[in-house]
Amino acid sequence: MTSIEQKRTADSDLDEIFGPIFERIARDAVARETDRRLAHDEIAWLRAAKFGALRVPVEYGGYGVSVRQLFRLLIDLAAAESNLPQALRVHFSFVEDQLLADPGPRREQWLRALSDGTLVGNAITEPGVGAVDRYRTTLTRSGDHWLLNGTKYYSTGSLYSDYILAAADRDGERVGVLVDANAEGVRQHDDWDGFGQRLTASGTTEFTDVPVAEDRILGPGYGAPGPTYGTSYLQLVQLAVLAGIAQRAERDTREWVAQRTRGYTHSAADLPRHDPLVQQVIGKLSAAAYTARATVLAVADQLDEVLDAGAKDEKALVAVELAAARAQLGVIDTVLPATSLLFEVGGASIVSEGLRLDRHWRNARTISVHNPAIQKARAIGDHLLNGTDLPFAWSAGERGAAK
């Protein structure tokens, strides 16, 4: 038995706990989108139900679910509110790092904290810099502690979190740093200006002489070379978001059509729901949602095997990364056309601001440009043709987060 094998909570029990919460979250999705209201209340509901502790072993107060079970719920959460799984993306990667860490008091402390509702956000990317070897955020020694200084963007989920995982340069070494979100010197801004995924709290974070204890420095940091589970895992969260968007788009469109009583004079049926062309669109939307969900869960099954084995087998890490990369291209090519096709079922009334059906395409389009698909397609082809290494990225505190 590996260190992360554990008693698992059944899917039926998970659905009983989280199903009503997801329905409650979905109820005001359009209003949140219209008002640009960050989902603090909704995060609080998830926190109270220990959603962030899904992968934490039962003996530490969590649910002990498999990776597949986690991603099944992430898809359903995305169908309720697509911003929330993206906001929690780095949090769940941080949980995995604790599960993979060597047994000890620090590991147990973090697992119990996560079970109690602790959430972790991120502040990795810097505005105008790009490459990880050019970070301007620095960690410098000051007496018995360190000081963090710098500005980050795409700080997804940090406004919802207790801790912020930041990437910094320490004397030429890239390191990961775990910072209290409410620490003195931390300033966060909801200034993400993308046309989709507006409620992910992906704006600017400023660090000004933020004190950092030695045990909050997590290891080599973002950009450390070599295969890691983190790249495929973090990408799969984005694909779960796309699958959830497709699921909600199909449901919203189907419900709208079912209630509609006015069609076109040249339609094949008096009611839109009886029109074979409209039925065809609903069928395609349903197929897109099914395909995206099945693809995400297939990769999640591979991640289960990799993580249960300790995420040390390089061949297995490469295989799951290749699977996630292929899945990215397939899911994007399935979901994006579907979220545009949905508008074919109605006339001008389907573009009503009150419906906000455009949010499905905007959110899907926004998610799809994370890790651009054209670059991923090229990397897959180069790997298959020439044996070139796939591009990997660091996972949150991978080598020693629980020291």
Side-chain angles (χ1 to χ4, degrees):
M1 177 178 291
T2 68
S3 62
I4 59 175
E5 285 183 2
Q6 52 199 290
K7 180 181 177 182
R8 307 218 185 270
T9 304
D11 285 345
S12 57
D13 293 332
L14 295 170
D15 290 341
E16 186 175 348
I17 294 167
F18 293 107
I21 298 174
F22 294 166
E23 290 179 9
R24 187 181 178 192
I25 289 172
R27 200 171 300 144
D28 294 326
V30 173
R32 281 192 300 274
E33 171 74 16
T34 302
D35 300 336
R36 194 191 169 102
R37 177 176 65 78
L38 290 181
H40 289 293
D41 291 343
E42 292 72 18
I43 286 286
W45 303 338
L46 293 171
R47 189 196 297 263
K50 297 188 177 184
F51 189 79
L54 281 167
R55 286 277 290 156
V56 174
V58 172
E59 58 265 36
Y60 295 116
Y63 293 99
V65 306
S66 66
V67 176
R68 180 188 178 90
Q69 288 177 296
L70 169 64
F71 277 88
R72 188 179 71 87
L73 289 173
L74 288 176
I75 293 170
D76 290 343
L77 175 58
E81 174 55 82
S82 67
N83 292 274
L84 293 183
Q86 184 183 359
L88 295 171
R89 187 169 70 129
V90 168
H91 170 84
F92 282 110
S93 177
F94 182 82
V95 173
E96 296 299 339
D97 288 321
Q98 309 318 306
L99 295 175
L100 292 168
D102 292 335
R106 290 294 294 167
R107 176 181 183 270
E108 180 174 346
Q109 177 184 339
W110 276 115
L111 289 175
R112 293 196 181 282
L114 292 164
S115 179
D116 288 339
T118 293
L119 296 177
V120 178
N122 91 97
I124 305 296
T125 305
E126 298 186 4
V129 179
V132 297
D133 59 349
R134 296 195 297 271
Y135 283 145
R136 295 169 186 157
T137 299
T138 60
L139 193 65
T140 56
R141 172 70 74 176
S142 177
D144 62 351
H145 62 274
W146 299 80
L147 295 178
L148 183 67
N149 285 278
T151 301
K152 299 289 187 177
Y153 195 52
Y154 304 118
S155 306
T156 306
S158 291
L159 279 167
Y160 300 129
S161 302
D162 303 290
Y163 297 97
I164 302 171
L165 186 68
D169 179 276
R170 180 180 63 177
D171 299 326
E173 176 192 19
R174 295 184 296 273
V175 294
V177 180
L178 199 62
V179 179
D180 289 14
N182 61 354
E184 183 178 354
V186 176
R187 293 182 62 200
Q188 298 177 267
H189 309 275
D190 179 30
D191 56 355
W192 159 240
D193 64 353
F195 62 60
Q197 294 297 100
R198 293 171 171 170
L199 309 181
T200 54
S202 295
T204 301
T205 302
E206 299 174 85
F207 300 107
T208 305
D209 289 335
V210 179
V212 177
E214 190 74 39
D215 64 356
R216 294 293 180 84
I217 302 173
L218 306 182
Y222 192 88
T228 169
Y229 85 91
T231 315
S232 56
Y233 190 100
L234 292 168
Q235 183 65 69
L236 197 62
V237 176
Q238 307 287 46
L239 301 187
V241 173
L242 283 168
I245 290 171
Q247 186 172 309
R248 176 57 57 176
E250 185 274 336
R251 177 174 172 177
D252 286 351
T253 308
R254 174 164 44 85
E255 290 179 350
W256 186 82
V257 169
Q259 297 170 9
R260 189 167 170 80
T261 58
R262 185 170 64 86
Y264 294 99
T265 56
H266 53 284
S267 296
D270 292 335
L271 293 176
R273 68 176 182 270
H274 294 153
D275 188 323
L277 296 178
V278 173
Q279 293 168 354
Q280 182 182 69
V281 171
I282 299 301
K284 288 184 176 181
L285 287 172
S286 178
Y290 177 86
T291 300
R293 185 183 187 92
T295 301
V296 169
L297 295 180
V299 181
D301 285 336
Q302 284 189 246
L303 273 168
D304 258 322
E305 295 178 7
V306 168
L307 289 166
D308 282 349
K312 296 178 180 178
D313 185 328
E314 183 168 326
K315 185 177 180 181
L317 290 170
V318 171
V320 75
E321 173 59 22
L322 180 59
R326 288 165 165 165
Q328 178 185 352
L329 300 181
V331 170
I332 289 173
D333 285 350
T334 298
V335 174
L336 271 184
T339 55
S340 179
L341 180 65
L342 68 85
F343 295 100
E344 297 298 330
V345 302
S349 56
I350 200 171
V351 300
S352 167
E353 287 279 9
L355 295 174
R356 288 277 175 172
L357 292 177
D358 62 300
R359 79 186 190 278
H360 297 315
W361 182 87
R362 288 187 289 100
N363 291 337
R365 179 69 276 182
T366 301
I367 282 289
S368 297
V369 298
H370 289 68
N371 307 316
I374 57 170
Q375 301 295 341
K376 193 60 66 73
R378 183 209 57 78
I380 293 171
D382 196 12
H383 173 75
L384 295 175
L385 287 170
N386 305 310
T388 305
D389 290 342
L390 292 168
F392 284 89
W394 164 82
S395 62
E398 183 185 351
R399 301 178 191 174
K403 288 191 295 186

